[in-house]
Amino acid sequence: MKPGRRSTDDGRVRRHGRLAALSALTFGIVILGGCGGSDGSSSASAVPGSMAQVANQAQAASAPQTPSANQPYTDLTTYSTSATSGIASSLVGEKAAIMHYQWTSGSTTINYTTTTGHLTAMDLASGAPEATMSYVAYTAPSTNGKPRPVTFVYNGGPGSSSIWLRLGSFAPTRVATTDPLLNGTSWPNYPLVNNSESLIDTTDLVFIDPPGTGLSEAILPNTNQTFWSTDADANIMRDFIIRYLTVNSRSSSPIYLYGESYGTPRTDILALALESAGVHLTGITLQSSILNYFADAIEAVAITGSPDQLALETDTLSGYLPGYAQVAAYYNQVSPAPVSQATYALRSEAFVTANYNLFKNYSLYWTLSQLGAPTYAGPPNFPPTWLEKFWDAESGLTLQAMQGYFNINPFNITLVPGSTIGRYDGRVSLPNSDPRLQSDGDPSDILISLPFTNALATQMPDYLGYTAPNAAYMPLNDAVIEAWDFSHGGQPLPDTIPDLLGALKLNPQLKVLAENGYHDLATPFFNTEKQLARLKTVQGLKPNLQVNFFQGGHMIYLDDVARPQMKADLAAFYAGTPIAGALTLATLPQPWADEAPAATPTSEAVAAAAP
């Protein structure tokens, strides 16, 4: 049990949302192929395979709908995810394992197909093969005579496969974690269960592994590292999506993108690339966003190694504090205890906005402290105790929480003395003596990393019917982020608000949903609000933009309270109906005054998006 754990909102408060909270306050102010099968309707090359363990997979997937139609596939190809690797085109195939199941939730039953294998992304201009990309698709037949929506889903990193979203979020089965609890559970062997909150009743889902992750590999003369840059990555994802739509005759379907973490700047750039190529999207979902790397000075300095990226450090300090305050409330370090997370978020945002000019005095030292390098800023410079006590009254934070934030040490080890709290989910903590912290300093990463890879080892051969005995699936490739070229639009780091604006100008009907976890200390929710608010600077722009919030961390869907709420909000989003309590562009706070207004993409970005 987590120390000082307090009860969280039960969902009814959040359903009133930030708009209701705002009115209550008196102050202002994060695998199918042309040769192998199309959405499971065509045959794939197959070898006999046992489904004997399927019934044990999660109360899992229910028994196969039509076992005789199942086509397991053993892929004998050797794939490599190293930087300099590439596979010969003669060894590439578009074959897949195809399995059939039923999904149930309440009185709803959906017959669905899983398709697991590879498709070849091809250069739009020359038609040359670029990469063989592994994917898993979950598809179902239409029930109304209209094409079902298809959603392309991916994680971020850079260097992450799509395993985390596929096994944790809205596929028909999921890994049942105990988020945010870590100790005293079945870790690291969480079960696979039927996912009552799956989106299979709303949309088909295609989970994509970028080159160098999963079982995806560049095709010679390209190597994996060819696609390890901001723009090349977006373009190879564009080319995969176009290939999938072509092979499966899905161009008339409503098309959606769903990206998490680094997958959100990828989505902004990818949306512009697809629209520029004539593929018109219906909607995009940005979950746990980092849309402008310059506005997160911690990330910017960590990536570039340069203190030149500290220009927006006050925005960073101010952007992180409301999320930190939500975590402090979880550990009973807010007094009085907040009435709801939504109202307390507004109070925290009001506090940092009112004190922004004072924060400027301490933001440089604070930012470098989070990087473990405070000495570069000279002698310690933190607010005096009298000022912190004054701020306590304004913010509700205890003196311990306030001094844990303004500290020579990173706040993840100062908020709860003797413990380390999670970056991905601040509610997950471990005592500093826990040996697992020696190899992974984030308890919330420990919560899921080994359990998800354990689940993958049994799910792929048994439930998905796919085996690759000569290759190892790469869930997260650290070599990718170490080699990644983050430059974009003529700048050393990506600011993708111009790309989002470019996509909206090409397609004014594009729906945009931004989902945020209150306890996410990797991509804090207030940062996302402030970046999207830059769209306010564009005269006449009226985007169909909604921003919603949930209890939970970076991987919001792991939270058993948040996941049903996310499902309901996503169902409304796909149906084109307003989400209760969501912010719109008009109700977002004003952008920070020192940030660039939203502007159309630079000529470099436009050129990169062009096919």
Side-chain angles (χ1 to χ4, degrees), residues 206-241:
V206 183
F207 294 83
I208 312 171
D209 300 325
T213 75
L215 293 171
S216 294
E217 185 174 4
I219 297 174
L220 294 170
N222 300 299
T223 63
N224 288 324
Q225 193 168 346
T226 301
F227 306 105
W228 292 357
S229 68
T230 302
D231 293 329
D233 166 79
N235 288 343
I236 197 68
M237 297 290 278
R238 173 200 64 197
D239 297 346
F240 171 88
I241 288 171

Side-chain angles (χ1 to χ4, degrees), residues 351-401:
F351 165 70
V352 299
T353 303
N355 289 281
Y356 181 87
N357 288 332
L358 281 174
F359 286 169
K360 287 181 179 179
N361 298 319
Y362 313 106
S363 56
L364 177 62
Y365 203 92
W366 177 88
T367 303
L368 291 173
S369 294
Q370 303 312 309
L371 289 161
T375 55
Y376 285 107
N381 183 29
F382 293 115
T385 301
W386 68 264
L387 179 56
E388 290 179 321
K389 288 181 178 179
F390 181 77
W391 283 346
D392 291 341
E394 281 190 272
S395 67
L397 291 169
T398 64
L399 184 60
Q400 160 64 31

Side-chain angles (χ1 to χ4, degrees), residues 109-393:
T109 297
I110 302 289
N111 296 324
Y112 72 93
T113 298
T114 69
T115 307
T116 309
H118 284 74
L119 275 180
T120 301
M122 299 181 181
D123 182 86
L124 292 190
S126 68
E130 299 170 302
T132 178
M133 295 174 64
S134 58
Y135 72 101
V136 178
Y138 301 83
T139 58
S142 171
T143 58
N144 59 8
K146 299 179 180 179
R148 276 170 54 90
V150 56
T151 302
F152 295 95
V153 190
Y154 36 82
N155 283 90
S160 179
S161 69
S162 61
I163 177 181
W164 319 104
L165 277 163
R166 187 169 65 76
L167 292 183
S169 64
F170 303 112
T173 60
R174 65 178 180 86
V175 177
T177 71
T178 56
D179 186 55
L181 300 179
L182 180 50
N183 286 326
T185 70
S186 58
W187 186 93
N189 296 305
Y190 301 135
L192 280 163
V193 299
N194 180 71
N195 186 5
S196 298
E197 289 79 45
S198 176
L199 284 171
I200 194 63
D201 59 343
T202 301
T203 179
D204 293 340
L205 300 159
V206 183
F207 294 83
I208 312 171
D209 300 325
T213 75
L215 293 171
S216 294
E217 185 174 4
I219 297 174
L220 294 170
N222 300 299
T223 63
N224 288 324
Q225 193 168 346
T226 301
F227 306 105
W228 292 357
S229 68
T230 302
D231 293 329
D233 166 79
N235 288 343
I236 197 68
M237 297 290 278
R238 173 200 64 197
D239 297 346
F240 171 88
I241 288 171
I242 290 174
R243 178 62 178 163
Y244 183 93
L245 295 172
T246 300
V247 166
N248 294 289
S249 302
R250 297 300 299 268
S251 297
S252 61
S253 295
I255 302 167
Y256 290 79
L257 306 177
Y258 190 117
E260 175 184 291
S261 194
Y262 179 80
T264 60
R266 171 188 282 151
T267 294
D268 285 350
I269 301 168
L270 177 56
L272 177 58
L274 285 166
E275 293 289 348
S276 299
V279 179
H280 299 303
L281 301 170
T282 302
I284 61 174
T285 298
L286 308 170
Q287 189 217 298
S288 307
S289 298
I290 179 166
L291 304 177
N292 177 10
Y293 272 76
F294 293 102
D296 189 329
I298 298 172
E299 286 286 338
V301 174
I303 290 169
T304 64
S306 171
D308 294 340
Q309 305 304 328
L310 288 167
L312 301 179
E313 79 275 5
T314 306
D315 299 355
T316 304
L317 182 158
S318 303
Y320 271 76
L321 198 148
Y324 172 87
Q326 294 284 355
V327 174
Y330 178 81
Y331 292 105
N332 289 327
Q333 293 199 40
V334 170
S335 181
V339 174
S340 75
Q341 291 166 348
T343 55
Y344 189 52
L346 284 170
R347 179 180 179 183
S348 299
E349 292 177 8
F351 165 70
V352 299
T353 303
N355 289 281
Y356 181 87
N357 288 332
L358 281 174
F359 286 169
K360 287 181 179 179
N361 298 319
Y362 313 106
S363 56
L364 177 62
Y365 203 92
W366 177 88
T367 303
L368 291 173
S369 294
Q370 303 312 309
L371 289 161
T375 55
Y376 285 107
N381 183 29
F382 293 115
T385 301
W386 68 264
L387 179 56
E388 290 179 321
K389 288 181 178 179
F390 181 77
W391 283 346
D392 291 341

